[in-house]
C-alpha cells in the first residue's frame, strides 16, 4: 500500500507505507540524507528511523537548523551520561535529567565523588571513545510496568520518580546506545558517531527538580557543535565574556559592591556612582529637550494602591510588605501608580496634553537568592521611568517621538538593537476591544515608519501591549532594555480624566516608557560591552597624573587643580614607584588619559600625554589637553 507524503514546498510524493523519515530524505538527495538528524511528522519532531504509516506532511530536520542543533546537543548529554557511567560504575551514578539549554546542555547526577575540572577532562576523553565506537541510538517504546522494572533493576530512583509523575496516557520511551540506556522522549541522532565537537564547561550543585527540600545533585554543563570551528569560536566567546564579566570588573575597577547584609542590593562606590550620575544626567538633558517634567514618588505606599492598579495580582509574590499604623504598606515594585496619583492631583484640560512626567524611581522586587546575578538580577534597582498622558489622537505621534529618543540615546553608546512587538498575555486585564485598539496603534507606528520588528505573542504587560528594544552588545549578546507600553487600563483603574473641548470629562491614554530600563542592569551591561574601558564622557576618571618621582608631586597637584576647575575628573598616583609600573597600573584601571609629569613638563608648564588605545601623544600644554578632553566629553566620544 502506498501513502502520500507532502513536502514543505507543497510537492506530493508517493511512498510504500512504513517508509522511514531517513528513506524519504535519501530519496530526495544523498546530501540531505547525510545532513538529516530527525524529521517532522505532521509538525511533531521524530527520529529518522520513524516509519510513516499514513498520508502525512514531512519535513527533514538538518544539523544546520535550530531543531537539529538541539537534537545534537541532547544526544551529547546522553553521550556524557554514558561516559560517566563507564568511568565511575553503573551503580555508583544515579541519573537525573539532561536537558538542552541555550548554547549547550547539562546533566544532573547523584554521585558521591565531588567532580573537578580534571574529572571533566577524563569524561571528555571517554565521550570521544564512544563517538569512535559509532553506537546506534535506538528508541524503544515500553509499557509503564516495563519501564519501572527496567529502572528498578538498574537502581535508578530519580528515573523511577520521573516515571511515576508521567500522565497515565503518556507514551514512555527508552533510548539505547550500546550498554547504556536512558528514559527519554527524544528524538536523538541515529548514532554516537554523528557527534563531532563538544566541551564540558563546569560542574555546580543543583537541587533535584529545583526544590531545595530535595537532595543536592551535581550538574555538569557542556556545549556541542557540529563542527570544531564552531566550537572553537564559541569557546573564544566564552573566554571573552569571562574577561568582561561585570562582577569581576566592578570589583577590579571599584565601581560597585555587594554585601551579605543586603543580598541582591548593589552598593555604588564613588567611581560607579560617577558613571550612574553621568547616565542619569544624559537622560535628564535629553528629556528636558523633549518637554518632560521630572518627579519623585514615595518608595512605599498603602497596599490599596497596588490592589487598585492591578500590580497586587501580578506582583504580590515578589513584593516586600510592612505595617504602618496597623495598615499594610508595600515597597513599590513599579513607579506607575505613583505617577497616576500625580496626574490625578489636579484637574487637567485637553490643551495641557500630552503631559510627560519622568522619574529615576527606585523599586524593590523579591528574587530568589539563587537567581541573583550581580547587577543583572537584583532585588532593588532604579528604573528610568516616564509616563505620558495623551489624547487618543496623540498616541502615534508620541510613540514616534519616544522611538526617536531611544534611537538617539542608543546611538551615543554605539548600540545596534532589534525591536519586538509584544502582544496580549494570558494574565491581562481589560476588554478585547481596548487591547485590539492598543495593539493596532503600536503596529501602525512601526509599520508607518518602516521599522523591522518581530511579533512576540503573549509577552505584553498585563495592562497593555508593548514595543521592546533589544540591544546587541560588543559580543552580539541581546539585552532587553528600552520599552514603550500602551495602557488603556490604568486610567480606568485610577479614574483619570481631563476636560475636553466640549467641557465633558474624558479618559487620557497612558504611555509607559523606559530607555535604560534598569539603570543598574544597564550599568552591568555597559561594563561588559566596553570591557570596563568606558568612553571618556562616562569614565569615572578622565585623566591620571603620573609624576615621574616625588620631586614633581607638587606640580602634579597644580595641574590637577587646573584640570578640575575645567570640569575634568582627575587622580594623581603619588606612590614612590617607577613610571613604567604606574603606567601599567593606570592601563589596568582603563583610564582614558595618562599625563606624565617630569622636569621638562614642570619647566614648560606642560604634560606628556598618553591616550588609551592610541599611545603616546607627545608634549601638550595644559590648556590644549584641557580643550582636547573637554571637546571629547562634549561630543560624547
Amino acid at each position: 500500500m502506498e501513502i502520500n507524503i507532502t513536502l514543505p514546498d507543497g510537492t506530493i510524493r508517493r511512498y510504500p507505507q512504513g517508509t522511514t523519515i531517513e528513506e524519504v530524505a535519501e530519496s530526495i538527495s544523498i546530501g540531505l540524507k547525510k545532513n538529516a538528524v530527525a524529521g517532522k511528522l505532521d509538525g511533531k519532531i521524530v527520529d529518522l528511523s520513524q516509519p510513516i504509516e499514513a498520508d502525512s506532511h514531512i519535513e527533514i530536520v538538518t544539523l544546520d537548523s535550530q531543531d537539529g542543533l538541539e537534537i545534537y546537543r541532547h544526544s551529547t548529554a546522553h553521550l556524557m551520561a554514558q561516559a560517566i557511567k563507564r568511568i565511575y560504575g553503573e551503580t555508583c551514578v544515579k541519573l537525573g535529567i539532561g536537558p538542552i539549554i541555550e548554547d549547550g546542555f547539562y546533566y544532573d547526577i547523584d554521585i558521591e565523588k565531588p567532580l573537578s575540572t580534571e574529572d571533566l577532562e577524563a569524561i571528555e576523553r571517554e565521550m570521544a571513545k564512544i563517538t569512535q565506537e559509532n553506537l546506534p541510538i535506538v528508541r524503544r517504546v515500553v509499557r509503564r510496568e516495563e519501564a519501572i522494572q527496567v529502572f528498578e533493576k538498574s537502581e535508578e530512583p530519580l528515573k523511577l520518580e520521573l516515571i511515576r509523575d508521567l500522565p497515565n496516557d503518556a507514551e514512555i520511551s527508552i533510548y539505547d546506545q550500546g550498554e547504556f540506556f536512558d528514559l527519554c522522549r527524544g528524538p536523538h541522532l541515529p548514532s554516537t558517531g554523528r557527534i563531532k565537537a563538544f566541551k564540558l564547561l563546569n560542574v555546580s550543585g543543583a537541587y533535584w527538580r529545583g526544590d531545595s527540600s530535595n537532595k543536592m545533585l551535581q550538574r555538569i554543563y557542556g556545549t556541542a557543535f557540529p563542527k570544531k570551528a564552531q566550537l572553537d569560536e564559541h569557546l573564544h566567546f566564552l573566554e571573552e565574556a569571562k574577561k568582561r564579566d561585570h562582577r569581576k570588573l566592578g570589583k577590579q575597577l571599584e565601581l560597585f559592591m555587594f554585601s551579605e547584609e543586603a543580598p541582591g542590593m548593589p552598593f555604588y562606590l564613588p567611581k560607579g556612582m560617577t558613571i550612574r550620575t553621568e547616565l542619569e544626567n544624559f537622560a535628564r538633558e535629553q528629556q528636558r529637550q523633549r518637554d518632560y517634567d521630572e518627579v519623585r514618588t514615595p518608595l512605599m505606599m498603602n497596599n490599596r494602591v497596588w490592589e487598585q492598579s492591578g500590580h497586587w495580582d501580578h506582583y504580590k509574590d515578589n513584593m516586600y510588605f510592612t505595617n504602618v499604623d496597623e495598615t499594610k504598606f508595600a515597597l513599590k515594585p513599579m513607579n506607575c501608580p505613583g505617577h497616576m496619583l500625580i496626574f490625578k492631583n489636579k484637574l487637567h484640560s485637553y490643551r495641557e496634553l500630552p503631559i510627560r512626567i519622568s522619574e529615576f524611581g527606585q523599586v524593590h522586587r523579591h528574587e530568589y537568592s539563587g537567581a541573583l546575578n550581580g547587577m543583572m538580577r537584583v532585588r532593588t534597582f532604579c528604573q528610568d521611568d516616564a509616563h505620558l498622558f495623551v489624547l487618543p489622537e496623540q498616541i502615534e505621534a508620541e510613540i514616534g517621538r519616544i522611538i526617536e529618543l531611544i534611537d538617539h540615546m542608543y546611538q551615543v553608546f554605539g548600540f545596534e538593537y532589534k525591536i519586538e512587538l509584544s502582544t496580549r498575555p494570558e494574565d491581562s486585564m481589560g476588554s478585547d476591544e481596548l487591547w485590539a485598539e492598543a495593539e493596532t496603534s503600536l503596529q501602525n507606528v512601526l509599520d508607518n515608519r518602516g521599522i523591522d520588528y518581530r511579533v512576540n505573542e503573549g509577552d505584553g504587560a498585563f495592562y497593555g501591549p508593548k514595543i521592546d528594544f533589544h540591544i546587541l552588545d560588543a559580543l552580539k549578546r541581546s539585552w532587553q532594555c528600552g520599552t514603550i507600553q500602551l495602557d488603556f487600563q490604568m486610567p480606568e483603574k485610577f479614574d483619570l480624566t481631563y476636560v475636553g473641548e466640549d467641557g465633558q470629562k474624558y479618559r487620557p491614554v497612558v504611555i509607559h516608557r523606559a530607555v535604560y530600563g534598569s539603570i543598574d542592569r544597564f550599568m552591568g551591561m555597559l561594563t561588559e560591552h566596553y570591557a570596563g574601558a568606558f568612553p571618556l564622557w562616562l569614565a569615572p576618571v578622565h585623566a591620571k597624573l603620573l609624576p615621574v618621582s616625588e620631586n614633581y608631586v607638587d606640580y602634579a597637584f597644580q595641574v590637577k587643580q587646573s584640570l578640575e576647575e575645567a570640569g575634568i575628573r582627575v587622580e594623581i598616583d603619588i606612590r614612590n614607584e617607577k613610571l613604567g609600573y604606574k603606567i601599567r597600573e593606570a592601563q589596568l584601571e582603563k583610564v582614558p588619559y595618562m599625563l606624565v609629569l617630569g622636569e621638562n613638563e614642570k619647566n614648560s608648564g606642560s604634560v606628556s600625554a598618553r591616550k588609551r588605545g592610541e599611545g603616546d601623544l607627545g608634549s601638550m600644554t595644559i590648556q590644549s589637553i584641557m580643550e582636547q578632553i573637554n571637546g571629547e566629553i562634549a561630543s560624547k566620544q
Side-chain angles (χ1 to χ4, degrees):
M1 178 181 170
E2 290 196 326
I3 54 175
N4 290 325
I5 300 296
T6 306
L7 301 175
D9 63 358
T11 304
I12 297 174
R13 295 190 179 199
R14 293 183 64 76
Y15 292 90
Q17 186 180 31
T19 298
T20 66
I21 299 286
E22 186 172 36
E23 288 166 341
V24 171
E26 185 178 18
S27 73
I28 297 170
S29 79
I30 296 299
L32 183 60
K33 179 195 174 186
K34 186 179 177 183
N35 202 26
V37 292
K40 283 186 179 175
L41 178 60
D42 292 329
K44 181 187 175 187
I45 199 154
V46 295
D47 292 295
L48 284 176
S49 59
Q50 174 73 36
I52 309 162
E53 303 296 348
D55 293 352
S56 309
H57 283 80
I58 298 297
E59 181 181 341
I60 306 301
V61 176
T62 56
L63 263 184
D64 53 9
S65 68
Q66 187 59 35
D67 285 331
L69 186 56
E70 289 176 359
I71 292 166
Y72 183 89
R73 286 175 173 160
H74 189 48
S75 298
T76 313
H78 276 222
L79 175 70
M80 179 176 74
Q82 182 176 13
I84 293 169
K85 285 266 192 183
R86 281 191 179 183
I87 293 170
Y88 299 104
E90 287 281 334
T91 56
C92 295
V93 180
K94 310 301 178 192
L95 298 178
I97 56 172
I100 54 162
I101 52 175
E102 187 178 2
D103 294 328
F105 59 88
Y106 69 79
Y107 214 119
D108 288 343
I109 63 169
D110 185 6
I111 181 174
E112 280 191 24
K113 173 185 166 61
L115 297 176
S116 65
T117 306
E118 291 73 27
D119 295 313
L120 297 189
E121 290 169 2
I123 295 166
E124 280 181 10
R125 288 193 294 272
E126 190 61 37
M127 291 168 69
K129 286 182 190 173
I130 299 170
T131 63
Q132 292 298 314
E133 294 171 25
N134 197 20
L135 302 172
I137 303 174
V138 181
R139 182 177 193 258
R140 57 183 161 121
V141 176
V142 295
R143 291 177 293 106
R144 183 180 297 264
E145 298 75 19
E146 185 183 348
I148 291 171
Q149 195 174 30
V150 165
F151 288 102
E152 277 180 346
K153 185 178 178 183
S154 58
E155 299 177 26
E156 291 282 8
L158 304 178
K159 296 294 183 185
L160 289 168
E161 184 180 323
L162 293 173
I163 294 167
R164 282 197 301 271
D165 291 346
L166 288 172
N168 290 332
D169 59 348
E171 182 179 77
I172 300 175
S173 55
I174 293 173
Y175 277 82
D176 298 302
Q177 53 193 62
E179 82 291 348
F180 177 78
F181 56 89
D182 202 355
L183 178 75
C184 190
R185 186 171 59 238
H188 280 280
L189 298 175
S191 71
T192 60
R194 296 290 296 271
I195 302 171
K196 301 297 183 187
F198 51 84
K199 180 71 179 172
L200 303 188
L201 301 172
N202 56 58
V203 60
S204 66
Y207 291 112
W208 169 233
R209 303 182 91 170
D211 186 339
S212 59
S213 62
N214 286 339
K215 185 171 185 177
M216 176 73 78
L217 306 180
Q218 294 188 71
R219 174 171 293 177
I220 305 174
Y221 288 95
T223 190
F225 289 86
K227 295 177 182 174
K228 186 175 184 302
Q230 294 169 319
L231 175 64
D232 290 343
E233 183 183 348
H234 181 69
L235 295 178
H236 174 72
F237 165 85
L238 292 180
E239 279 303 310
E240 190 61 30
K242 201 183 293 182
K243 284 186 220 163
R244 292 169 179 260
D245 189 326
H246 75 281
R247 293 165 298 187
K248 176 183 164 190
L249 287 170
K251 188 172 184 178
Q252 178 187 320
L253 302 176
E254 298 182 343
L255 304 179
F256 40 76
M257 58 168 269
F258 290 86
S259 167
E260 291 180 2
E261 309 308 321
M265 301 184 186
F267 290 71
Y268 281 83
L269 303 176
K271 288 180 180 177
M273 195 63 205
T274 298
I275 297 172
R276 175 168 167 164
T277 301
E278 287 290 349
L279 290 172
E280 289 187 9
N281 288 344
F282 174 46
R284 275 194 178 96
E285 178 57 24
Q286 297 305 313
Q287 290 169 170
R288 185 193 64 75
Q289 293 172 15
R290 293 165 175 80
D291 301 319
Y292 284 75
D293 292 307
E294 188 172 345
V295 300
R296 177 148 297 183
T297 57
L299 280 175
M300 185 170 69
M301 287 189 277
N302 192 304
N303 213 45
R304 63 173 175 264
V305 172
W306 309 110
E307 291 169 359
Q308 184 179 356
S309 70
H311 286 91
W312 167 258
D313 293 329
H314 297 84
Y315 281 93
K316 63 177 181 289
D317 293 337
N318 297 95
M319 290 169 69
Y320 295 99
F321 300 97
T322 189
N323 286 326
V324 179
D325 298 333
E326 299 180 4
T327 303
K328 196 172 189 178
F329 276 62
L331 287 174
K332 63 178 178 180
M334 286 280 197
N335 299 301
C336 328
H339 292 192
M340 305 303 127
L341 296 177
I342 285 176
F343 180 88
K344 197 172 180 177
N345 185 48
K346 70 172 196 175
L347 194 63
H348 296 283
S349 161
Y350 73 96
R351 292 187 180 89
E352 296 174 66
L353 273 57
I355 291 171
R356 309 176 186 94
I357 60 176
S358 66
E359 177 177 13
F360 293 100
Q362 198 70 21
V363 298
H364 288 76
R365 298 180 194 171
H366 179 71
E367 299 278 0
Y368 290 112
S369 57
L372 299 176
N373 174 18
M375 301 288 270
M376 305 307 191
R377 184 67 73 88
V378 291
R379 287 175 173 167
T380 181
F381 54 95
C382 178
Q383 287 184 316
D384 66 322
D385 259 340
H387 291 87
L388 292 78
F389 300 85
V390 304
L391 305 174
E393 59 268 28
Q394 294 170 335
I395 289 172
E396 293 189 21
E398 283 303 307
I399 289 174
R401 282 167 56 95
I402 297 168
I403 291 172
E404 287 170 4
L405 167 66
I406 292 174
D407 179 70
H408 170 72
M409 289 180 65
Y410 286 178
Q411 279 187 26
V412 168
F413 296 104
F415 285 132
E416 299 173 38
Y417 60 86
K418 295 180 180 176
I419 288 178
E420 282 186 353
L421 173 60
S422 298
T423 58
R424 186 175 188 173
E426 288 184 12
D427 62 347
S428 62
M429 62 184 190
S431 68
D432 293 345
E433 294 76 23
L434 285 178
W435 269 91
E437 185 181 344
E439 288 178 3
T440 300
S441 294
L442 292 185
Q443 200 161 356
N444 285 345
V445 176
L446 295 172
D447 290 340
N448 292 340
R449 288 175 166 262
I451 293 172
D452 286 332
Y453 66 94
R454 80 176 192 90
V455 176
N456 189 4
E457 295 285 354
D459 200 43
F462 68 87
Y463 47 75
K466 58 181 181 163
I467 297 171
D468 285 331
F469 292 75
H470 295 261
I471 284 172
L472 297 175
D473 71 8
L475 296 182
K476 300 301 178 187
R477 295 172 300 184
S478 179
W479 305 89
Q480 196 271 302
C481 294
T483 188
I484 304 170
Q485 303 171 356
L486 193 53
D487 181 5
F488 290 88
Q489 314 299 334
M490 272 195 208
E492 289 279 346
K493 294 272 185 183
F494 284 89
D495 192 26
L496 305 185
T497 59
Y498 64 89
V499 178
E501 196 171 1
D502 58 2
Q504 301 298 309
K505 287 187 174 181
Y506 296 92
R507 293 257 183 265
V509 178
V510 171
I511 302 172
H512 305 243
R513 182 238 74 187
V515 182
Y516 298 137
S518 155
I519 291 182
D520 310 76
R521 184 168 175 265
F522 197 83
M523 261 194 70
M525 187 264 295
L526 276 184
T527 304
E528 298 196 357
H529 174 66
Y530 294 124
F534 295 97
L536 183 68
W537 70 278
L538 269 182
V541 177
H542 294 139
K544 191 108 176 194
L545 303 182
L546 308 177
V548 298
S549 74
E550 291 176 322
N551 299 332
Y552 307 104
V553 169
D554 288 344
Y555 176 57
F557 275 103
Q558 291 173 31
V559 175
K560 181 175 188 280
Q561 184 177 349
S562 299
L563 295 178
E564 285 180 337
E565 286 172 358
I568 295 168
R569 297 190 286 268
V570 189
E571 281 186 354
I572 305 178
D573 189 342
I574 60 173
R575 295 174 299 171
N576 189 21
E577 298 284 357
K578 289 182 179 177
L579 179 61
Y581 178 81
K582 289 183 178 183
I583 290 173
R584 283 194 299 277
E585 288 283 294
Q587 288 171 335
L588 288 174
E589 292 169 14
K590 303 180 188 286
V591 178
Y593 277 92
M594 289 168 271
L595 308 180
V596 177
L597 310 170
E599 187 68 24
N600 291 339
E601 289 75 25
K602 180 181 176 181
N603 292 336
S604 60
S606 65
V607 298
S608 181
R610 298 173 65 89
K611 187 176 180 183
R612 185 183 66 202
E614 292 184 22
D616 192 359
L617 303 182
S619 180
M620 299 178 73
T621 65
I622 293 171
Q623 185 62 34
S624 61
I625 193 67
M626 285 194 302
E627 288 173 0
Q628 178 163 327
I629 291 174
N630 276 327
E632 287 181 31
I633 291 169
S635 62
K636 296 280 191 290
Q637 287 185 21

